[in-house]
C-alpha cells in the first residue's frame, strides 16, 4: 500500500468513526441512568457491635447495633 492510500484509508476510518459518534450522541435516549444506578439518601449509620468492660460494676456489657443485649457479671449472664 502506498503512503497516499494509507493516509486516505486512515482519514476515511477516522471520519466514519466521528460520524458514528455524532449520530450516537444525537439519537441517544434522553433521561439519565436507570434508577438502580442512582444512589438515594444514605442509610443511617448503625452502631457497631461491641463489648464494653465496666470496671466499676465488675461487669462486661455486650452491645449489638448500639443496644445492650446482655450483661455478664459475677452472678452470670443477664439479658
Amino acid at each position: 500500500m502506498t503512503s497516499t492510500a494509507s493516509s486516505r484509508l486512515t482519514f476515511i476510518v477516522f471520519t466514519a468513526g466521528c460520524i458514528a459518534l455524532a449520530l450516537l450522541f444525537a439519537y441517544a435516549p434522553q433521561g439519565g441512568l436507570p434508577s438502580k444506578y442512582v444512589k438515594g439518601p444514605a442509610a443511617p449509620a448503625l452502631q457497631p457491635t461491641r463489648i464494653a468492660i465496666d470496671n466499676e460494676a465488675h461487669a462486661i456489657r455486650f452491645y449489638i447495633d448500639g443496644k445492650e443485649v446482655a450483661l455478664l457479671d459475677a452472678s452470670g449472664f443477664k439479658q
Side-chain angles (χ1 to χ4, degrees), residues 33-58:
L33 296 173
S35 62
K36 70 178 183 178
Y37 297 113
V38 178
K39 291 185 178 180
L46 296 176
Q47 297 289 334
T49 300
R50 63 186 174 100
I51 299 172
I53 299 173
D54 188 355
N55 288 328
E56 293 176 12
H58 302 289

